[in-house]
Amino acid sequence: MVATTLVSDELDQYMVQQFKQFHRHPELCDKEEWTTAKIADELHKMAVPILDFPIHSGLVAQIGPGSGPTIALRADIDALPLQEETDLSYKSAIPGAAHACGHDFHIAALLGAAKLLKDQEAHLTGNIRFIFEPGEERHVGAREMIHAGILKDVVAISGIHNMPTIPVGTVGMKIGKLVASNDNFDVTITGVGSHAAMPQTGRDPIVAVANTIMTLQTIVSRNISPSDRLVLTVGAIHGGHTNNVIPESAGFKGTIRTFSDADRKLAKQRFYEIVNATAVAFGQTATITWDQGPAPVNNSKTITNLIANQARQFMNVVDAIPSNADDDFAEYEQLVPGCYAFMGSKGQANLHHPDFIANPEGLKYAAKFHEQAALALLTHFNQQDKEK
C-alpha cells in the first residue's frame, strides 16, 4: 500500500529548492568545490557532524549514538561535461557542464533523508553515514573514498540512481547484477604519412583504424555467447586534418560493458589481439591505453529484500531491468553488502542527454526510501547482534 503523506510540505519544498540550486551549479569530476561547500553548509544547519577524512572533494557525515551498527547511504555529486539544452528557469549557469545524469537529484534527496533521520537521532539504535561522493562519472570517486577509509565500521550500504524511464512513485529493484562493468579504451595506430594521391609511399592509419573497428565487433558476434550481454562501442574517431594528406597516425576510443567476469576478461584479451594483429597486418604499430572501471553492481539478496519490503509500504516496487550503464557503487559492494535501486524520475529524455530533466516530484520518494532503508537495516543488524 502506498502512503499518501511521505514527507512534510516544508521538507519537500526544501529538497526542490536544493535540487534547483545544485542544478544551476554543476561541477565536473574532482572540481566539486562549490558543491561540497554547499552540502557542508546544509549539514551544518542541520547539526549533522561532518567526519574528517583525507578527501579532496565530496564529504562524509554521520549521525547516531556512536555505538551499534553503521549503515551508509550514498549519493554521487559530480556533473557531466556537456552543454545543457533545456528551457528550465534553473538551467545550468556553467558553460559546458550539466547535471544531465541527475546527481543534483541524488544530493537533494540525501540531504532530505539527513533531515528526516536527524529528527529521529535520539531513537536510533546505530549510526547512519551519509556519503556524498565526487568523481563518479569518471569512476574514481568511490575508490578515492574507500582508500580514505570511509567504509570503516560500515556493515551495509544503500544507494539510488534516478531513472527517467520509470514513473515517479515507483522504484526498480533487483537482487544480483543490476548495472554492467565498465572498461574504457583509447587506441592510437601509427603508420607513415604521405600524399593522399600516392598512398603506396605511406602506411595509411585511417584504413587500419577502419578495419580494426569493424573487426572488433566480432568480439560480440563471434566470441560472446548470444545469451550473454556485452556491448562494445567506439564513441570517438580521430585522424587527419585535410582531404589530400594521409596522416602519420589515427585512433579511436570507446567502452566495453558486460555482466560476466569471464566475458570481461575474454573481451579484453580479444581486443588486444585484434588491435595489435590488425596493425601488424597493415605494417603499422598500435598503442592501447586501457582504463579498467568498476565491476558490475551486484546487490545483496538479504539487503535488497529488506529494503524492498520496507519500500512497498509507501511506493510501488517493480523488478528492475538490468542496464548496460555502470556505477562505481559497485566498488562499495565489493567490500560490504549493499542495495542499489532505480528511483523513478520520469522525464522527457534519458540519462546523459543535453535535454535531460530529473523530475523533482520524485525527491520525496527518494528521501523516504533512504530513510526507511537505513532504519530497516539498523533493525536487521541489531537483531543479528542479539542473536549472536
Side-chain angles (χ1 to χ4, degrees):
M1 182 176 69
V2 178
T4 54
T5 303
L6 295 165
V7 302
S8 68
D9 289 343
E10 180 183 9
L11 179 56
D12 191 25
Q13 291 168 11
Y14 167 82
M15 289 189 290
V16 172
Q17 179 188 43
Q18 296 302 315
F19 164 72
K20 292 180 177 180
Q21 289 187 58
F22 287 113
H23 190 88
R24 286 191 192 100
H25 296 89
E27 293 179 305
L28 304 181
C29 173
D30 288 336
K31 298 178 180 178
E32 304 96 336
E33 287 85 3
W34 179 90
T35 304
T36 299
K38 172 65 174 168
I39 295 168
D41 184 53
E42 293 304 316
L43 292 171
H44 284 312
K45 291 175 184 175
M46 301 177 206
V48 173
I50 296 171
L51 303 182
D52 185 17
F53 287 107
I55 50 180
H56 169 68
S57 55
L59 58 84
V60 181
Q62 184 169 303
I63 60 173
S67 58
T70 299
I71 303 301
L73 302 176
R74 175 267 203 171
D76 36 15
I77 68 172
D78 56 329
L80 284 163
L82 54 77
Q83 186 67 36
E84 182 172 350
E85 296 177 4
T86 74
D87 57 0
L88 295 174
S89 60
Y90 54 91
K91 70 183 298 183
S92 171
I94 310 299
H99 270 300
C101 200
H103 294 185
D104 47 354
F105 181 103
H106 302 166
I107 301 167
L110 192 55
L111 286 173
K115 276 183 170 285
L116 287 171
L117 290 160
K118 179 63 178 178
D119 289 344
Q120 305 168 61
E121 186 172 23
H123 306 291
L124 294 178
T125 56
N127 312 296
I128 301 168
R129 189 167 296 175
F130 304 97
I131 299 171
F132 293 89
E133 179 202 319
E136 188 279 328
E137 292 295 352
R138 284 173 50 195
H139 53 72
V140 297
R143 291 176 184 176
E144 291 174 357
M145 299 195 93
I146 290 168
H147 182 72
I150 63 101
L151 286 185
K152 186 178 188 305
D153 300 323
V154 170
V155 295
I157 188 167
S158 176
I160 63 166
H161 201 293
N162 80 95
M163 187 56 65
T165 58
I166 298 177
V168 168
T170 296
V171 61
M173 304 186 71
K174 181 183 181 299
I175 295 166
K177 293 176 180 177
L178 180 61
V179 301
S181 63
N182 179 4
D183 293 314
N184 299 312
F185 53 81
D186 191 341
V187 176
T188 299
I189 304 293
T190 302
V192 177
S194 68
H195 194 296
M198 306 170 193
Q200 76 279 6
T201 65
R203 293 288 185 270
D204 190 343
I206 290 180
V207 173
V209 163
N211 277 269
T212 303
I213 291 172
M214 294 301 294
T215 306
L216 285 173
Q217 296 306 314
T218 64
I219 294 175
V220 178
S221 66
R222 289 297 176 268
N223 297 134
I224 304 300
S225 169
S227 62
D228 290 347
R229 295 173 64 137
L230 188 141
V231 172
L232 189 157
T233 295
V234 173
I237 303 174
H238 56 87
H241 302 285
T242 188
N243 66 302
N244 60 353
V245 176
I246 291 175
E248 289 285 331
S249 64
F252 59 94
K253 60 178 66 177
T255 187
I256 297 177
R257 310 294 176 94
T258 186
F259 288 84
S260 160
D261 291 339
D263 286 349
R264 187 182 194 185
K265 182 179 180 180
L266 175 60
K268 181 178 181 180
Q269 174 192 329
R270 292 294 294 129
F271 185 95
Y272 271 78
E273 290 171 348
I274 288 170
V275 171
N276 287 319
T278 305
V280 169
F282 282 86
Q284 301 174 46
T285 59
T287 302
I288 303 170
T289 300
W290 193 269
D291 171 28
Q292 181 169 312
V297 165
N298 194 4
N299 287 332
S300 157
K301 180 178 180 180
T302 299
I303 304 304
T304 303
N305 280 336
L306 281 168
I307 297 175
N309 289 338
Q310 200 74 7
R312 289 189 184 95
Q313 306 304 311
F314 59 91
M315 66 187 305
N316 297 318
V317 178
V318 299
D319 293 336
I321 299 172
S323 169
N324 287 326
D326 74 294
D327 196 292
D328 68 3
F329 188 85
E331 303 282 351
Y332 303 120
E333 286 191 323
Q334 290 186 310
L335 299 173
V336 297
C339 173
Y340 180 81
F342 291 154
M343 184 63 54
S345 63
K346 186 67 174 178
Q348 67 184 38
N350 208 342
L351 304 170
H352 291 217
H353 281 237
D355 60 346
F356 167 80
I357 301 170
N359 188 342
E361 285 293 318
L363 287 168
K364 53 182 174 285
Y365 290 96
K368 192 71 173 177
F369 183 92
H370 280 313
E371 176 210 33
Q372 292 300 302
L375 295 176
L377 292 175
L378 284 180
T379 299
H380 169 74
F381 283 98
N382 273 296
Q383 185 62 37
Q384 271 197 345
D385 289 343
K386 290 178 182 178
E387 294 172 356
K388 287 181 179 178

